[in-house]
Amino acid sequence: MSSVTSLNPLLQDWTGPYGLPPFAEITAAHFLPAFEQAIAQHRAELDAIAAQTDAPSFANTLASFDRSGRLLTRLESLFYSLAASATSPELQATQRALAGPLAAHNSWTYMHEGLFKRVDALFQQRQALGLDSQALRLLERVHLDFVRAGAKLAAAEQKRYAQVMERLAELNTQFAQNVLADETGYQLLLQGEADIAGLPDFLLAAAAQAASDRGLPAGSRVITLSRSLIVPFLTFSERRDLREQAWRAWVGRGENAGATDNRAVAQEILTLRNEQARLHGHACYADYALADTMAGSRAAVAGLLSQVWEPAKTAAAAEQAALEAMMQSLGHALPLQAWDWRFYAEKVRKAQYDLDEAEVKPYFPLDAMVQALFDCAGRLFGLRFEARPEVAAYHPDVLVYEVQDADGRLRGIFLHDNFARSIKRSGAWMNALRLQARNGLDCLPIILNNNNFAKGAAGQPTLLSFDDTRTLFHEFGHGLHGLLSDVEFERLSGTQVLRDFVELPSQLFEHWMADPAVLKKHARHYQTGEAIPDALLAKLKAAALFNQGYETVRYTASALVDLAAHSLTEAEGPAVVDFEAKTMAAYGLPAAVGMNHRMTHFQHLFSGSSYAAGYYVYLWAEVLEADGFEAFVEAGDIFDAGVAKRLRDCIYSTGNSREPGEAFRAFRGRDAVVGPMLKSRGLLPA
């Protein structure tokens, strides 16, 4: 073993608090040799399982397989967390170098002939093995993992399949890094009073902090492509020319000629996914992807999206008419453009509801909203979050908490990373540095939530919008799904559920952020400490459905183009910009509304495969969560102890140990119905 490897902190026991990695000792150079050793170790473990002379049993095959590769899993969890949240040129180079080999190892694992023979033998006799429900679920899921990764393909097809998966891993990495480069490379420098016309104090402070973070001279202000800067800029800036400039940069990510151009990257990804699907005998990638979902088919997804699309367009048309009337009343020139919508929507909202975002944000300081998260988790599930400021994470922004159950026992560790940085990808997400599992190891979860809020100026709090607060609660719902996991096997732990079920716990938790009692307790003015006034709460409630047509069209448009792109049966993927334009024209997307994500920066689809042909899942889960929350409404108390216990037992703690439809029925007593979701979006006829 080389001296680099023998001294590699990634390969030593992590003896720090809670088994956290020794972040300060780790460099990008440590990862390649560590992964080489971890892959070799995992291969030896799998070869040993396959080479056993004893007949296959659940214990010597499935349980052993679930325990294998823990070093590799540990490294992957850490590496991808850092690559997303605290990257560097060196770490990005390492990520590009590792993409192919890690994909190759995954193919080697699931195409291991001797290993699959043992798994398949157990699967064929599964009903006669006397397994409990969780063990049976593990056997079924692992067997399906093997099949979907190519275990049943002929040797020549397996070889090609592995090549496809390696190339896809490389392209996914390139796509994500290109988007980050476009986001990091852009800044709109605000110069002079004219450039800041209309901008509220909170946005000016955030723009100044963004400039400071980028090393610009004192007094500078910049708008970056962080959502928490670009959206309020488009909402408040009176400079139409600057709004257009910022908007074009935002929607044009990944579509700029040169090193960061994602057009050919996305096209090749679609080409290879079609080949992947054909190797499995499917006509298109969507058929392959949706076979292992609650929806099950393209028809089911299209049916759901169609229930929303036309009502949403009708609502958006009425909203657009109101915005155009506002433009005319102000003497501003039509037509309404995409970079105008948020600006005039804010004026209409203020006129109709006397509600101004600049009035709302002072009541939503980040620290207070974090305490609201913890309070709701405590009242629902008995959890306590104790700050551990002495425990260092990978960046000074990251706060570490010890999570205790109602009986005082350690439940897990929670890391909260809330601020936008140039070395951090955009969006919001949850991931795990360690999954909960037992299976002879008794691993407590280490769960990480990432957001991208614009940090307040030095000495000032970070103020959230109502939508920011919803995002905070959403990601914490995912976090609770990981923290409350209580299963035996790592493969079934936490958020490793079907893709159209995984958003249920997160979207469901959003309901508590808008509860008046929660807001009266936690939404307090950051300067005066005054609780949010009843009059302002009433305005927020009255305006809850405002602009929902716009938001629903934007989301559904992205889901429709995702489904359409992955439903193509041609061998060659399309030129994505032209395909997107033609698809949206066919559906009648209003130009002034646009899409949540254009294909050249649609990371849900192209930075990995988890949401490919699956962006619909937020709407699918919304059906589940809207109906699920009705259980609390029917109980007359959104913190009802009995309903909360069922929610924890049936949804948050079960991971993938139960079929998701069965898990929802156990909680709700029946299948979900679509009515509450349509009502919550204001899309039911009056």
Side-chain angles (χ1 to χ4, degrees):
M1 186 184 297
S2 71
S3 60
V4 172
T5 303
S6 64
L7 299 175
N8 193 326
L10 296 174
L11 296 173
Q12 314 307 312
D13 290 335
W14 294 352
T15 58
Y18 313 115
L20 284 167
F23 294 109
E25 301 174 26
I26 296 167
T27 69
H30 290 129
F31 278 103
L32 280 174
F35 271 108
E36 288 175 1
Q37 183 162 327
I39 288 172
Q41 180 177 313
H42 191 210
R43 291 193 173 199
E45 292 170 350
L46 297 181
D47 281 339
I49 295 171
Q52 295 175 97
T53 56
D54 291 346
S57 69
F58 182 87
N60 70 21
T61 301
L62 264 296
S64 295
F65 179 72
D66 187 68
R67 282 194 302 271
S68 71
R70 289 297 169 95
L71 173 59
L72 180 59
T73 299
R74 185 176 78 170
L75 290 178
E76 286 183 309
S77 298
L78 171 61
F79 179 71
Y80 288 118
S81 292
L82 294 178
S85 303
T87 193
S88 65
E90 296 78 14
L91 203 62
Q92 288 186 316
T94 303
Q95 189 177 12
R96 292 191 296 272
L98 281 169
L102 286 174
H105 176 64
N106 189 72
S107 292
W108 181 90
T109 298
Y110 288 99
M111 294 175 183
H112 193 299
E113 184 178 4
L115 192 57
F116 181 62
K117 279 184 178 179
R118 296 180 70 86
V119 172
D120 192 47
L122 291 169
F123 180 77
Q124 299 305 327
Q125 55 178 318
R126 61 192 180 280
Q127 299 301 336
L129 296 177
L131 301 176
D132 63 33
S133 60
Q134 190 173 152
L136 179 59
R137 179 72 175 169
L138 178 69
L139 173 55
E140 291 172 345
R141 295 307 302 172
V142 168
H143 185 268
L144 186 60
D145 291 342
F146 272 88
V147 172
R148 288 178 63 79
K152 287 189 172 182
L153 299 178
E157 292 174 324
Q158 283 190 343
K159 181 179 180 181
R160 176 56 188 159
Y161 195 87
Q163 292 171 343
V164 167
M165 300 313 291
E166 284 184 55
R167 180 59 179 157
L168 279 171
E170 293 167 353
L171 291 167
N172 295 152
T173 299
Q174 183 181 351
F175 187 95
Q177 292 189 359
N178 287 349
V179 174
L180 179 60
D182 275 3
E183 291 172 347
T184 301
Y186 178 83
Q187 58 188 35
L188 175 62
L189 185 62
L190 303 178
Q191 298 176 307
E193 291 299 313
D195 285 4
I196 64 172
L199 303 186
D201 289 344
F202 75 81
L203 182 53
L204 293 173
Q209 184 62 45
S212 175
D213 291 344
R214 290 184 172 221
L216 296 177
S220 301
R221 298 185 181 104
V222 295
I223 300 300
T224 73
L225 296 183
S226 167
R227 185 178 179 85
S228 58
L229 283 170
I230 191 79
V231 169
F233 182 77
L234 293 172
T235 302
F236 292 107
S237 175
E238 294 178 7
R239 287 283 301 276
R240 196 181 197 192
D241 59 329
L242 295 185
R243 293 202 309 268
E244 179 180 359
Q245 182 180 329
W247 178 87
R248 290 192 182 281
W250 194 31
V251 302
R253 289 167 293 159
E255 199 181 346
N256 302 304
T260 64
D261 192 340
N262 268 335
R263 286 172 287 192
V265 178
Q267 183 175 15
E268 187 178 352
I269 289 172
L270 291 172
T271 298
L272 291 173
R273 283 179 178 162
N274 268 347
E275 183 176 358
Q276 178 188 0
R278 289 195 305 276
L279 285 166
H280 280 290
H282 292 287
C284 64
Y285 184 81
D287 287 347
Y288 166 74
L290 293 170
D292 189 32
T293 61
M294 293 183 74
S297 69
R298 283 183 284 158
V301 174
L304 176 62
L305 295 176
S306 68
Q307 289 186 69
V308 172
W309 180 243
E310 291 301 329
K313 281 203 301 179
T314 300
E319 293 165 3
Q320 182 166 344
L323 269 55
E324 290 170 341
M326 174 61 72
M327 293 178 74
Q328 291 176 313
S329 74
L330 295 170
H332 295 177
L334 293 170
L336 178 75
Q337 301 286 0
W339 51 88
D340 296 324
W341 189 291
R342 287 179 169 86
F343 178 74
Y344 290 105
E346 181 65 14
K347 291 187 178 299
V348 170
R349 184 170 73 149
K350 186 169 176 57
Q352 290 184 355
Y353 302 102
D354 190 26
L355 185 62
D356 185 340
E357 185 171 305
E359 177 190 6
V360 174
K361 291 190 75 162
Y363 292 95
F364 290 86
L366 173 61
D367 289 349
M369 292 303 99
V370 170
Q371 290 309 308
L373 298 178
F374 296 164
D375 181 43
C376 291
R379 295 175 68 183
L380 285 166
F381 306 124
L383 298 181
R384 292 180 63 242
F385 290 76
E386 296 289 339
R388 290 291 180 259
E390 73 280 6
V391 179
Y394 55 83
H395 190 278
D397 284 347
V398 184
L399 302 179
V400 179
Y401 297 88
E402 182 179 291
V403 187
Q404 300 170 2
D405 238 326
D407 58 7
R409 286 186 297 177
L410 185 62
R411 175 78 243 167
I413 304 302
F414 179 62
L415 278 63
H416 221 182
D417 185 353
N418 283 317
F419 298 117
R421 296 185 292 272
S422 61
I423 57 172
K424 181 179 180 182
R425 76 170 175 86
S426 60
W429 65 96
M430 166 267 185
N431 60 301
L433 284 172
R434 186 171 66 210
L435 291 165
Q436 177 273 329
R438 290 185 288 273
N439 195 10
L441 296 170
D442 201 18
C443 293
L444 287 172
I446 301 175
I447 302 301
L448 174 59
N449 265 184
N450 273 272
N451 293 292
N452 265 285
F453 304 132
K455 187 181 293 186
Q460 296 296 312
T462 295
L463 302 180
L464 304 185
S465 68
F466 209 55
D467 282 344
D468 287 338
T469 307
R470 182 175 288 107
T471 298
L472 185 77
F473 271 71
H474 178 100
E475 295 307 328
F476 190 67
H478 283 308
L480 289 174
H481 200 183
L483 288 166
L484 291 172
S485 177
D486 188 14
V487 300
E488 184 72 17
F489 304 107
E490 186 179 74
R491 172 61 183 85
L492 305 178
S493 179
T495 55
Q496 296 184 111
V497 296
L498 299 193
R499 183 54 60 188
D500 42 11
F501 192 74
V502 76
E503 298 298 337
L504 167 60
S506 55
Q507 292 178 202
L508 182 60
F509 199 72
E510 293 176 26
H511 285 272
W512 280 270
M513 66 78 63
D515 177 67
V518 172
L519 292 175
K520 290 293 285 186
K521 181 176 180 181
H522 294 285
R524 294 181 173 273
H525 197 284
Y526 78 98
Q527 291 172 316
T528 67
E530 171 198 12
I532 190 168
D534 291 336
L536 187 52
L537 280 177
K539 292 178 190 179
L540 285 168
K541 183 177 180 181
L545 296 179
F546 177 72
N547 220 30
Q548 273 299 299
Y550 172 79
E551 297 294 351
T552 305
V553 166
R554 287 174 59 79
Y555 163 76
T556 311
S558 294
L560 287 167
V561 82
D562 164 36
L563 184 64
H566 287 105
S567 296
L568 296 172
T569 56
E570 295 84 359
E572 185 77 15
V576 294
V577 173
D578 289 344
F579 176 80
E580 173 188 292
K582 290 176 182 176
T583 302
M584 290 295 92
Y587 277 106
L589 173 68
V593 175
M595 311 167 68
N596 265 2
H597 309 285
R598 297 195 54 240
M599 294 185 78
T600 54
H601 56 255
F602 204 163
Q603 297 207 66
H604 285 79
L605 304 195
F606 297 119
S607 293
S609 63
S610 294
Y611 287 86
Y615 193 62
Y616 77 92
V617 300
Y618 294 94
L619 190 61
W620 187 277
E622 193 172 338
V623 172
L624 300 176
E625 56 88 357
D627 192 15
F629 189 71
E630 286 291 307
F632 287 95
V633 175
E634 292 162 6
D637 178 3
I638 66 166
F639 292 102
D640 182 86
V643 179
K645 184 178 187 304
R646 285 206 315 277
L647 181 62
R648 177 172 179 163
D649 292 347
C650 300
I651 304 296
Y652 280 93
S653 70
T654 57
N656 203 354
S657 65
R658 300 176 80 166
E659 188 276 323
E662 173 195 322
F664 185 86
R665 286 188 293 274
F667 166 60
R668 193 69 175 101
R670 56 167 173 74
D671 287 325
V673 294
V674 74
M677 181 276 289
L678 295 173
K679 178 182 176 184
S680 71
R681 284 186 174 254
L683 299 178
L684 286 177

